[in-house]
């Protein structure tokens, strides 16, 4: 039985949850004919226009510049005055127009943006210094020649690039199997055991080891084998491996923990042994994160200077044999080029800035490669 409804000439606006009242052009609520507009406008407070932060920022910059010029100060003082002016004027204006709640939200937003800018400022300044000083040194000769028999102008970093690649490759070959197998033991076999707790403790200790201590360890180890004064690229690889192992263990361990236990249980229910479940189910599922962690670990140690300075040494010639004689690397080349630039010093310092730019480019390239590899090997969702 249907209930008769009463027809009305107009319907009241639905202000229940989920319904949006009609808004007028000036930001207030548009009243329907016959209703008091003032009562509806109290539901939505007026807001500052979108150009208000830009207007206040321009005014703050103008005031900061004026104060700095009058007082004879530099750009840092102008930026400080502008920042203080913006962080005072904008919340006050917002409090008057929008109310205290919106003003507090704007204060929190401005503080976070200020912290972000302060965090990025050293990075941007560093990149600007390295790029502006290093770009003039880059040339075809810089990448294809070594420093053998070069005094003053000329020469390049070919021997240092090859040494860095060889030492880092050996360090990766040493540390990745150790780190991955240790992480597999911690997650899949050693849960709650005393050995697993000891491994976890040692990994935590190794994470905080200074890089120069790793270099001293590698030097002491090779002195016991080959005698005092030993220098070789493989020794530098061992020192870098000491720094890489804890990073690889931690990243691999976290990735293995993210693999759902339902996958393991499903494999066990089909009668698959544990070692085959790990190699065919667990590792492929976590492969993207493992490769990303390994790549980031390589980028982490590629710029280490202290351990290579102690055990790998430096040379002006190309050496492709990691088990014989000294081997040049980019961080050590930068150090000696800047500390002992030769006569005239301008050319040595220019080569140091150029090598620093190349090293930063290699590290940034490895980080981008890690992101691309992680995205490529990530499990597909099927949607």
């Amino acid at each position: 039985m249907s209930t008769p409804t009463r027809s009305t000439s107009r319907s009241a606006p639905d202000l229940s949850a989920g319904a949006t009242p009609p808004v007028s052009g000036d930001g207030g609520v548009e009243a329907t004919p016959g209703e008091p507009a003032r009562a509806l406008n109290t539901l939505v407070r007026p807001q500052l226009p979108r150009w208000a932060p830009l207007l206040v920022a321009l005014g703050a910059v103008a005031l900061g510049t004026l104060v700095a010029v009058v007082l004879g100060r530099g750009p840092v003082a102008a930026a400080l005055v502008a920042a203080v002016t913006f962080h005072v004027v904008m919340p006050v204006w917002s409090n008057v127009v929008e109310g205290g709640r919106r003003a507090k939200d704007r204060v929190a937003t401005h503080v976070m943006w200020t912290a972000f800018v302060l965090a990025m400022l050293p990075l941007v300044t560093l990149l600007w210094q390295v790029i502006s000083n290093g770009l003039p040194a880059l040339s075809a000769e810089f990448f294809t020649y070594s420093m053998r028999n070069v005094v003053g102008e000329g020469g390049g970093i070919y021997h240092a690039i090859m040494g860095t690649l060889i030492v880092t490759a050996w360090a990766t070959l040493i540390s990745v199997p150790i780190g991955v197998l240790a992480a597999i033991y911690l997650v899949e076999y050693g849960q709650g055991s005393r050995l697993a707790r000891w491994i976890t403790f040692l990994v935590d200790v190794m994470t905080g080891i200074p890089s120069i201590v790793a270099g001293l360890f590698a030097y002491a180890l090779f002195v016991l084998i080959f005698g005092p004064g030993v220098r070789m690229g493989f020794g530098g690889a061992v020192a870098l491996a000491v720094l890489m192992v804890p990073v690889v263990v931690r990243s691999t361990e976290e990735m293995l923990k993210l693999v759902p236990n339902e996958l393991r249980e499903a494999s066990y229910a089909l009668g698959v042994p544990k070692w085959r479940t790990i190699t065919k189910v667990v590792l492929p599922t976590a492969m993207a994160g493992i490769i990303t962690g390994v790549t980031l670990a390589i980028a982490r140690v590629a710029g280490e200077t202290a351990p290579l300075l102690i055990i790998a040494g430096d040379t002006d010639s190309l050496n492709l044999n990691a088990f014989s004689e000294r081997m040049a690397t980019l961080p050590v080349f930068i150090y000696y080029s800047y500390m002992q630039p030769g006569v005239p010093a301008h050319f040595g310092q220019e080569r140091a800035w150029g090598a620093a730019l190349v090293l930063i480019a290699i590290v940034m390239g490895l980080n981008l490669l890690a992101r691309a590899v992680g995205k490529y090997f990530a499990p597909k969702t099927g949607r």
Side-chain angles (χ1 to χ4, degrees), residues 127 165 168 291-292 294-300 302-303 330 356-374:
L127 289 177
L165 296 178
T168 307
I291 294 177
T292 302
V294 170
T295 310
L296 292 178
I298 295 173
R300 154 79 174 79
L330 279 174
L357 179 58
V358 173
L359 182 60
I360 289 178
I362 293 175
V363 173
M364 293 184 66
L366 289 174
N367 281 276
L368 295 176
L369 178 64
R371 291 185 175 276
V373 169

Side-chain angles (χ1 to χ4, degrees), residues 18 211 224 231 238 243 278 295 355 379:
S211 59
L224 292 176
R231 296 287 191 281
V238 172
L243 302 174
I278 295 173
T295 310

Side-chain angles (χ1 to χ4, degrees), residues 371-383:
R371 291 185 175 276
V373 169
K375 185 177 181 181
Y376 179 79
F377 285 98
K380 306 298 185 294
T381 59
R383 295 187 178 182

Side-chain angles (χ1 to χ4, degrees), residues 268-337:
Y268 298 152
L270 295 174
V272 180
K274 189 169 186 175
W275 69 269
R276 196 168 180 82
T277 300
I278 295 173
T279 56
K280 296 296 183 181
V281 177
V282 177
L283 287 179
T285 306
M287 187 58 66
I290 294 174
I291 294 177
T292 302
V294 170
T295 310
L296 292 178
I298 295 173
R300 154 79 174 79
V301 301
E304 289 292 345
T305 306
L308 300 177
L309 193 65
I310 293 175
I311 182 63
D314 187 35
T315 177
D316 294 335
S317 303
L318 177 65
N319 179 18
L320 300 179
N321 187 0
F323 298 93
S324 176
E325 302 299 332
R326 299 169 181 261
M327 178 171 284
T329 53
L330 279 174
V332 178
F333 177 84
I334 296 169
Y335 174 77
Y336 278 115
S337 296

Side-chain angles (χ1 to χ4, degrees), residues 63-129:
L63 179 61
T65 305
L66 178 62
V67 172
V69 170
V70 171
L71 299 179
R73 301 297 182 180
V76 176
L80 184 61
V81 172
V84 172
T85 304
F86 180 83
H87 285 81
V88 171
V89 174
M90 197 65 207
V92 171
W93 191 9
S94 175
N95 188 36
V96 171
V97 178
E98 301 174 323
R101 187 174 181 180
R102 179 63 174 164
K104 293 177 182 176
D105 181 70
R106 287 186 180 274
V107 169
T109 304
H110 296 159
V111 169
M112 285 187 288
W113 272 103
T114 303
F116 171 74
V117 171
L118 291 177
M120 293 297 296
L121 192 61
L123 175 62
V124 173
T125 306
L126 174 66
L127 289 177
W128 172 255
Q129 288 289 334

